[in-house]
Amino acid sequence: MHLAKVPALGALALALTLTTGAAHAATLTRTPYLQRVGPDTATVAFRLDTNCSPEVRYGINGATNLVARSQASGRVHAVVLTGLTPGAEYTYLVEGCGAKTEPKRFSTAPVPGTRKVRFAAVGDFGTGGKSQKEVAAAMLTQQPELFVALGDNAYSSGTEAEIQNNLFAPMAALLAEVPFFAVAGNHEYVTNASQPYLDNLYLPTSPSGGERYYSFDWGHVHFVGLDSSCAIGLASKDLCTLEAQKKWVEADLAASTADWKVVYFHHPPWSSGEHGSQLLMRREFGPLFERYGVDLVLTGHDHNYERSHPMLGNDRAPSGQRGVPYLVVGGGGASLRAFSASQPAWSAKRNNTDFGFLDVTVIEGTLTAQLRTPKGGVIDSFTLTKQLAPREDPPPAAKLSIDVEGERGNAPHQAFFLATPPSSDTTVSWDFGDGQSAEGTQVTHLYNEPGQYTVTATASNGDTATTQVAVAEADTGEVPTTPGTPVTGTPQPSPGPSQGTNPPLSDEGGASAGCATVPMGALLPLGALALAGLLRRRRR
């Protein structure tokens, strides 16, 4: 039977096809997580169970009126948002192929140099278990601006499945709203020198290490993430070397002018836990930290918490001399372990009975850190202070501005609009006040009805600007007060000899001989009468 010969069956088949397609809408196999968030950019990563070209809808003040479409058409997506406002809260959701997520929120990094930063740090959590979930939930309640992960993020071997089941699934709510900056641990290195871990994350990069080691600024804090597994020889030399990493980190620390410097990696230079101190990391990197003014070093590996006194060389820093405090924050979810020996003199605080994360606030020249438990307890608290140079007020941020050619005119009236966004990668959308819209920095629009129109331009970073366009009725100078409202009142005659009357007919030749100029309005009644007469004749 041919469907072409049976239209009803053909329509039924089409309806069934559409219904079947709707029933098989895409599903997110990995919910959105935030990567590479900066002052004016963010990456929203996620995965689907079918090939698709989805989009991210986002905006400020709870709106999701801006759109960024994925450049990929498969199942793995990382959508880059650009032109964002520093230090602003954005709402976003993922939509496409029948799938739509619930709105989530995140904040961009503040204006560089801003002297107020809050971040969280913990390692050794990737089990997928109850303790990990409790630590992640407690971290989210504190609303840190970013989350620094210290390695062993996906036990026990860092496989693709373990990264999904032991990292992304149990921490989905946290990673959807808090930007995630991680370093690899020895357990990620079990599988192909941490390649699955690198395939699943979108991290900052360095010229010699790619995403294995990197740095970034957040406010007035400079963060450096190192690959200690590479440094101690777990990677082949074609992937990563100690020498290249040392050379890069020295240049990076020397170039940074940030008020504070925080370094993080997996293997601890100072630890009295089960694994003990990683002496190669202490020997190779400790002098660089001291030379270039690192303020705090965060590590994991041992499943406990421990904070050293400020260290200088191989011992505690003498009174009055600057040292570097080293922390082990390895209570993120994996089973806690006993310390290998009694507490050494260099150890200021240690705990192996509570899971928890480090909550760090840096305001001006004061860094305050607390080890928080899922139940709200505080196991340790310490403060670092330093004298900062007087701050110069930054120049005011550039704002969206618009210009218009054709602010007034008679309908139909065309106006030209030009937007100057705060940066070259900022997109602009327009609302012309008459129900029509457009996108672009240069647009034209035709107004067919008289009215007073408010035109609004919205940049992708949330900036808005408005202007007015006044459109009068044809051949008058009157402007209605609302769009589409006709001019009321009695029009005034225009100056000139005719004063609104028709000129007399001429019996002589010339340009006006044999005809008269008649206003179009006068012809309309005559045409209507002629049409009515014609209709009456046809009825007869």
Side-chain angles (χ1 to χ4, degrees), residues 247-260:
K247 181 178 180 180
W248 171 81
V249 74
E250 180 167 18
D252 179 85
L253 290 173
S256 175
T257 59
D259 295 330
W260 292 87

Side-chain angles (χ1 to χ4, degrees), residues 166-517:
N166 297 345
L167 170 59
F168 288 110
M171 306 183 87
L174 175 68
L175 302 183
E177 297 198 340
V178 180
F180 176 51
F181 296 87
V183 292
N186 56 294
H187 281 273
E188 281 79 63
Y189 258 76
V190 171
T191 300
N192 195 18
S194 76
Q195 192 57 49
Y197 150 86
L198 295 171
D199 292 340
N200 281 270
L201 299 182
Y202 304 86
L203 299 168
T205 61
S206 64
S208 59
E211 293 174 296
R212 293 181 183 273
Y213 51 87
Y214 57 85
S215 68
F216 64 96
D217 286 346
W218 195 287
H220 66 326
V221 181
H222 183 64
F223 290 91
V224 180
L226 298 182
D227 188 341
S228 58
S229 296
C230 156
I232 66 174
L234 299 186
S236 60
K237 291 189 179 298
D238 61 316
L239 296 177
C240 181
T241 66
L242 167 64
E243 293 74 20
Q245 190 170 190
K246 275 189 64 179
K247 181 178 180 180
W248 171 81
V249 74
E250 180 167 18
D252 179 85
L253 290 173
S256 175
T257 59
D259 295 330
W260 292 87
K261 298 177 183 179
V262 176
V263 179
Y264 59 102
F265 48 91
H266 187 61
H267 297 84
W270 294 90
S271 173
S272 62
E274 182 182 57
H275 295 297
S277 301
Q278 211 328 304
L279 297 180
L280 181 143
M281 292 301 296
R282 185 195 302 178
R283 180 179 67 250
E284 298 293 337
F285 291 94
L288 298 180
F289 300 159
E290 295 164 7
R291 184 181 311 155
Y292 295 106
V294 170
D295 299 287
L296 183 65
V297 175
L298 304 175
T299 65
H301 198 42
D302 277 324
H303 299 179
N304 52 249
Y305 173 79
E306 186 165 26
R307 171 172 58 89
S308 79
H309 291 285
M311 307 303 294
L312 186 62
N314 288 313
D315 209 341
R316 289 178 59 174
S319 178
Q321 293 193 37
R322 188 184 182 281
V324 181
Y326 291 80
L327 272 67
V328 176
V329 192
S335 298
L336 299 174
R337 295 173 181 169
F339 289 102
S340 59
S342 59
Q343 186 170 359
W346 55 260
S347 177
K349 178 71 176 183
R350 63 182 193 172
N351 175 286
N352 68 337
T353 59
D354 295 280
F355 294 100
F357 66 95
L358 196 69
D359 181 9
V360 184
T361 301
V362 191
I363 300 176
E364 297 288 343
T366 300
L367 182 151
T368 302
Q370 294 179 319
L371 182 70
R372 293 183 177 271
T373 71
K375 294 182 179 180
V378 176
I379 301 301
D380 185 31
S381 180
F382 66 94
T383 300
L384 306 176
T385 59
K386 62 194 311 184
Q387 188 69 38
L388 302 185
R391 178 172 51 184
E392 296 182 5
D393 292 333
K399 294 289 185 180
L400 173 68
S401 63
I402 56 176
D403 295 295
V404 56
E405 290 185 10
E407 293 178 298
R408 301 177 64 87
N410 293 355
H413 172 64
Q414 181 168 276
F416 171 76
F417 301 94
L418 172 66
T420 304
S423 62
S424 59
D425 59 354
T426 303
T427 59
V428 179
S429 59
W430 297 84
D431 179 348
F432 296 114
D434 61 352
Q436 302 298 312
S437 60
E439 292 189 357
T441 56
Q442 300 181 36
V443 295
T444 58
H445 183 63
L446 181 67
Y447 291 95
N448 291 307
E449 299 292 334
Q452 185 81 21
Y453 298 92
T454 299
V455 182
T456 303
T458 302
S460 56
N461 68 351
D463 284 356
T464 61
T466 60
T467 189
Q468 301 289 323
V469 173
V471 181
E473 284 189 335
D475 300 324
T476 75
E478 298 294 328
V479 179
T481 57
T482 58
T485 302
V487 178
T488 59
T490 304
Q492 298 298 313
S494 58
S498 67
Q499 291 295 312
T501 61
N502 297 330
L505 298 178
S506 172
D507 292 332
E508 301 179 0
S512 61
C515 67
T517 302

